[in-house]
């Protein structure tokens, strides 16, 4: 028989005491359980309501102390321990949220071009898509149909794949137009091609050969922002979201040719808008340890409010801000089910 956890054993002891005021004996006493059991025994002669309240209060206090001790032993503070759980399962700290006209057709394009997998779809009463989640490689994209409140907003995505030539060819078959075919001459050292899909999104399709960004390995899906005065975006992201600039390449005049920015366990890329690659104000969904604190930071950094922090019906503490470049940042902390 599998050994019962300390939590389960303690639950059984407390349940027994609340019924009979007699602790349940253990064949193999646990030292931690015995300590908590002695506390309950010391309180057993109190009136029943007082017993319940005192027992609950003391056990909660001791449980909190035990958790803090365990965190300290692993070198992890209480805030870090809480932070482990702030991400919604299946998503990273940064997920592009693409709003298009014809979301269902867009999802089919993602499937045929990039071997994407649809993980979730929430339809509207009229058959459109209110929200969908699509996995590509080890990343994800969130999708919805445009509305009056949130019109279509295409964006640029740097997509890492195993075979950029094959993916590039499939996008053309799906109706995309080419910026340039995959080449080994890209400054990054990666094999890299670029297309514009029928919905207006840019896809920079690459296979990594050089530097790999990100604290936990390369993410397949990297939002890419083309900006005017891109150099000012870096301090904004640092102040608003605690971002870290992992690689910044500038001209002698200070123009950002490329920068990789880390937020949490994911990265995005930025550069100065140029040529065909002009600003595309977009929507980004970011998971943070404390939505209220990050929302306040973003406002202090110069963002304007879209939505104040609130508990959303999908188990997130959520808020939204808009930066000076017109991008919307929808931040969230996953509260669990």
């Amino acid at each position: 028989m599998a050994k019962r956890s300390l939590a389960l054993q303690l639950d059984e002891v407390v349940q027994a005491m609340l019924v009979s005021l007699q602790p349940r004996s253990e064949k193999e006493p646990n030292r931690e359980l015995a300590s908590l059991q002695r506390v309950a025994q010391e309180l057993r002669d109190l009136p029943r309501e007082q017993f319940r309240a005192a027992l609950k209060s003391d056990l909660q206090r001791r449980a909190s102390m035990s958790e803090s001790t365990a965190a300290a032993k692993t070198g992890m503070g209480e805030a870090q321990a809480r932070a482990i759980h702030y991400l919604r399962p299946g998503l990273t700290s940064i997920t592009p949220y693409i709003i298009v006209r014809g979301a269902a057709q867009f999802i089919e394009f993602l499937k045929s071009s990039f071997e994407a997998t649809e993980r979730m779809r929430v339809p509207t009463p009229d058959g459109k898509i209110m929200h969908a989640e699509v996995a590509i490689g080890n990343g994800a994209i969130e999708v919805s149909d445009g509305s009056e409140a949130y019109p279509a907003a295409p964006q640029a995505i740097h997509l890492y794949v195993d075979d950029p030539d094959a993916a590039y060819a499939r996008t053309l078959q799906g109706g995309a137009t080419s910026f340039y075919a995959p080449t080994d001459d890209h400054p990054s050292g990666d094999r890299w091609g670029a297309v514009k899909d029928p919905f207006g999104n840019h896809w920079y399709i690459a296979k990594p050969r050089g530097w790999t960004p990100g604290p936990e390995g390369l993410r397949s899906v990297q939002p890419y922002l083309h900006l005017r005065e891109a150099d000012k975006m870096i301090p904004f992201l640092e102040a608003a979201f605690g971002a870290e600039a992992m690689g910044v390449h500038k001209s002698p005049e200070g123009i950002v040719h490329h920068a990789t920015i880390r937020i949490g366990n994911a990265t995005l890329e930025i550069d100065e808008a140029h040529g065909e690659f002009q600003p595309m104000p977009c929507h980004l969904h970011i998971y943070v340890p404390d939505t209220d604190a990050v929302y306040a930071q973003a406002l202090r950094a110069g963002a304007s409010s879209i939505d104040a922090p609130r508990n959303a019906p999908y188990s997130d503490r959520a808020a939204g801000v808009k930066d000076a470049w017109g991008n919307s940042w929808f931040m969230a902390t996953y509260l669990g089910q």
Side-chain angles (χ1 to χ4, degrees):
M1 180 181 295
K3 185 176 180 180
R4 290 172 296 123
S5 68
L6 175 61
L8 179 58
Q9 295 176 54
L10 178 59
D11 183 68
E12 292 175 353
V13 168
V14 172
Q15 290 297 327
M17 294 189 72
L18 292 177
V19 173
S20 65
L21 297 185
Q22 293 295 329
R24 183 183 185 279
S25 62
E26 289 292 323
K27 293 181 180 180
E28 297 179 11
N30 182 292
R31 293 179 62 185
E32 294 180 68
L33 178 63
S35 174
L36 295 174
Q37 185 173 311
R38 283 195 297 273
V39 175
Q41 288 174 318
E42 291 171 3
L43 298 170
R44 58 179 293 185
D45 294 327
L46 290 175
R48 193 171 183 82
E49 289 187 7
Q50 288 179 280
F51 171 79
R52 289 176 183 269
L55 178 62
K56 179 179 179 181
S57 176
D58 200 81
L59 291 180
Q60 285 178 334
R61 178 180 61 82
R62 290 196 174 215
S64 176
M65 292 172 61
S66 297
E67 289 173 1
S68 297
T69 301
K73 287 180 179 179
T74 60
M76 180 172 61
E78 184 179 349
Q80 287 176 292
R82 287 197 306 268
I84 291 174
H85 306 291
Y86 72 83
L87 293 169
R88 177 173 290 277
L91 298 180
T92 63
S93 297
I94 310 171
T95 303
Y97 203 114
I98 301 181
I99 301 176
V100 297
R101 295 183 183 89
Q105 292 78 14
F106 177 57
I107 291 172
E108 292 307 310
F109 173 83
L110 297 179
K111 291 178 180 178
S112 63
S113 297
F114 307 126
E115 301 178 330
T117 302
E118 184 176 340
R119 297 198 298 213
M120 176 195 302
R121 180 182 297 204
V122 181
T124 62
D126 61 359
K128 293 184 178 180
I129 293 178
M130 179 185 299
H131 175 80
E133 186 178 302
V134 180
I136 304 178
N138 66 358
I141 292 173
E142 293 174 287
V143 178
S144 73
D145 270 299
S147 65
E148 184 176 347
Y150 290 100
Q155 59 182 282
I157 302 293
H158 188 179
L159 186 68
Y160 284 105
V161 297
D162 292 330
D163 188 341
D165 293 78
Y168 170 85
R170 290 194 298 267
T171 65
L172 299 185
Q173 292 170 2
T177 56
S178 176
F179 287 118
Y180 52 86
T183 175
D184 291 328
D185 296 330
H186 193 271
S188 67
D190 296 343
R191 184 160 181 79
W192 184 309
V195 301
K196 182 177 182 178
D197 71 26
F199 307 88
N201 303 288
H202 292 189
W203 298 90
Y204 310 138
I205 307 166
K207 180 175 183 177
R209 291 180 175 174
W211 177 61
T212 299
E216 298 180 12
L218 187 67
R219 299 293 184 188
S220 300
V221 178
Q222 306 267 344
Y224 202 121
L225 306 182
H226 301 297
L227 307 164
R228 293 190 178 92
E229 297 186 308
D231 59 305
K232 295 181 180 178
M233 174 61 89
I234 297 172
F236 167 77
L237 295 176
E238 291 172 338
F241 307 124
E244 174 190 356
M246 300 182 65
V248 181
H249 303 281
K250 293 183 178 181
S251 71
E253 297 76 28
I255 296 173
V256 176
H257 290 314
H258 180 268
T260 298
I261 311 295
R262 169 186 172 178
I263 298 176
N265 70 350
T267 54
L268 59 86
E269 298 169 77
I270 69 171
D271 70 8
E272 188 71 23
H274 60 285
E276 297 176 283
F277 308 107
Q278 292 300 308
M280 303 170 69
C282 64
H283 304 289
L284 295 166
H285 192 188
I286 62 172
Y287 275 90
V288 297
D290 187 335
T291 289
D292 294 72
V294 174
Y295 172 81
Q297 286 175 192
L299 296 185
R300 289 195 297 270
S304 58
S305 177
I306 297 174
D307 290 307
R310 69 197 188 286
N311 288 341
Y314 42 86
S315 301
D316 280 359
R317 179 74 174 166
V321 300
K322 181 173 286 189
D323 65 30
W325 294 263
N327 303 291
S328 299
W329 301 82
F330 295 102
M331 61 200 73
T333 303
Y334 181 55
L335 303 177
Q337 297 181 348

